[in-house]
Amino acid sequence: VELAPLSDGTLILNELAPLFGVHAAGDRTLLDALLAALRPKHALLIIDNCEHLVDPAADIIERILRACPRVHILATSREALKIPGETVHRVASLDEEAGIALFAERAGAASDSFVLNEANIATVAKICRRLDGIALAIELAAARVRAVDVNELFARLDERFRILTGGSRTALPRQQTMRALIDWSYDLLTAPEQALLRRVAVFNGGWTLDAATAICADDDLQSWDILDLLTSLVDKSLVTAELNDALISGSKLRYRLLESTRQYASEKLQASGERQRLRAAHAAYFTSVAEKAEHAWKTTPTKTWLPPLESEIDNFRGALNWTLNEKEDRELGGLLAAALWPMWTELGTRAEGIRYAERALAFADELPPLTRARLWFTVSILSQHAWKKTVETAEKARALFMDLGDEAGAMRTNLSAGEGLTRLGELERGNDKLVEAVDFFRAAREERWTNYTMSALGRNALWRGEAQLARDRFSHVLTTARAQGDDRLVSVIMNNLAESEFNVGNIDRAIELGQEIITRDRMRHDPDSLCFALTNIAAYFIAAGRIEEAHPMAIEALRRSLDLQLDGLIAGSIQHLAFIAALRGEHERAALLLGFTDTFLAKGVSPREMTEQQEYDRLMPILREGLGEQRLKELLAQGRGITNEHAAADALAI
């Protein structure tokens, strides 16, 4: 029996009774007559669409089950009936394969010219993902191929409530458009449930109960009501609770909206006049989360402070876009951009962090001096690999911190500048800044900052030719970093130890360490450190004459470095591939690529590090012999003029 057309729960029995030929008579009610007819039967009764009549439907179904032991009932509803003996089965969205198949079937029916093929299947898959695997949405989208191709359809899904219309004329009205379907569910909610559904549209990529309580509660929605309201929205299938992820990771339970529901709720939020207030509360809350995590970075293991931030990355992006792109609260945006540097560093997304920090600094005159100082420090620490910029921005931050009397801030910039100066070959200046910083951090008992500064001092010693001092420093820091659970620093130190071994001639040991780092970084998903390890081990394999093993390492290093925009590693991996090309007899290609790296490094990224310089010194005689001095000069000069894209494509083609 179909309940969707009914608006009055007292009419449910009027729909059920004719199925069994019963009616009320005398003192016997219609329900008594129905139970009498069903009691001897062994039957499955299907009752569809109970959600808008859930209380009367639940009452009738419970009485049937009690009185008729051999009758089973399959009831469909957007929320559980909550009666004894009920087993809830949540109908999942279609998986990608099923979604593509449904789209192809409906699109083929709508247009004779549509054929699913290699050219369009990836776009069809993206459409199904954007529609969260909702069968009705996929059917409505597929029908649009009569008028637009799949690429245009995908591009216009942000207008989905205009696009997803035109269902079957014989279907229920709520099944003819996507908006009508969600309208149906929204109208069944209580006023507090509607208010919370609107407000959670402020989140990007999900939220926790704590976040919903902090941001969405007010005089109308009390904080202690949020959990009950969220639970009700989950029960009604309007909010998804990510139970499995929470159980596996041990993290807090997260909630999210399907994309169609989120867009619908966003429209309702805009119409309510509450959007600006909710966006401001959202930005303030996630700035607080970021600042607490920045503080926790100094004292807690990576696996403690990082996962909660990684889960909220879309909320951070949403808050940064609202504060900075929409220019709604530049000062708050500056604070958030300044606090997120540990997350961008750990996730290997430095370029994104720099973009937000520099966007905030575009409004520097509107920001307090401390916020400006923190932002310049953020740019400095995230610009490592472009070492000239690292030093320049660190000095800007230092001047502001010193004017404010913030010695701790100034010493953090000393670490960044000292690292940059070392990489640029200004070893004594770099050493002086690092020694000043490490003395301060030790006195202040800032162990995490002490470790990072000692690591930088180890590199400074290595570049000065004091290999044993460097290894002693690295070994000491490695022990303390492991004890503190600083996973990133452990990888950094292991990379430096491998470099130390290589530069004293222990190539096999350097390769062994490099392979260990690569395995470790793949397991813990550290893209930044992995790029370093891949670039380095390519050089070690080349030095050992193991060219076929070097080649895939250099190719992967270049691809990953391009993705992460790590300029120094881009240049290093291209040089390794140039060496491989030269050994394979492709001398002209090798010379062009080497010329490109000369110019690339001269832009202020950094000079060649010791490992790359040794390789360069081995490569030049090979090219002179293969090309002659004059031709080599011509090709090097020509290579200095090619674009980044040209050089990368040429190197990847080796």
Side-chain angles (χ1 to χ4, degrees), residues 603-636:
K603 292 177 181 176
V605 175
S606 71
R608 287 183 173 86
E609 295 191 11
M610 295 172 64
T611 299
E612 282 68 30
Q613 187 61 49
Q614 290 179 32
E615 183 180 83
Y616 180 88
D617 293 340
R618 290 180 59 205
L619 178 55
M620 287 298 288
I622 296 172
L623 295 178
R624 286 193 184 95
E625 181 178 348
L627 296 167
E629 188 69 36
Q630 184 58 37
R631 183 56 178 158
L632 175 58
K633 287 182 179 179
E634 292 171 359
L635 289 167
L636 288 172

Side-chain angles (χ1 to χ4, degrees), residues 167-228:
S168 169
R169 290 189 178 91
T170 62
L172 292 169
R174 65 185 173 88
Q175 294 174 345
Q176 294 182 17
T177 73
M178 196 66 191
R179 182 183 295 281
L181 177 64
I182 304 179
D183 275 336
W184 164 268
S185 298
Y186 186 80
D187 290 343
L188 293 175
L189 300 178
T190 65
E193 289 170 341
Q194 289 179 345
L196 184 58
L197 184 65
R198 290 193 306 268
R199 294 177 186 183
V200 294
V202 77
F203 293 104
N204 306 86
W207 67 91
T208 62
L209 175 61
D210 290 344
T213 302
I215 296 167
C216 299
D218 63 4
D219 291 341
D220 296 323
L221 292 184
Q222 299 298 320
S223 58
W224 53 82
D225 291 328
I226 299 296
L227 175 58
D228 288 340

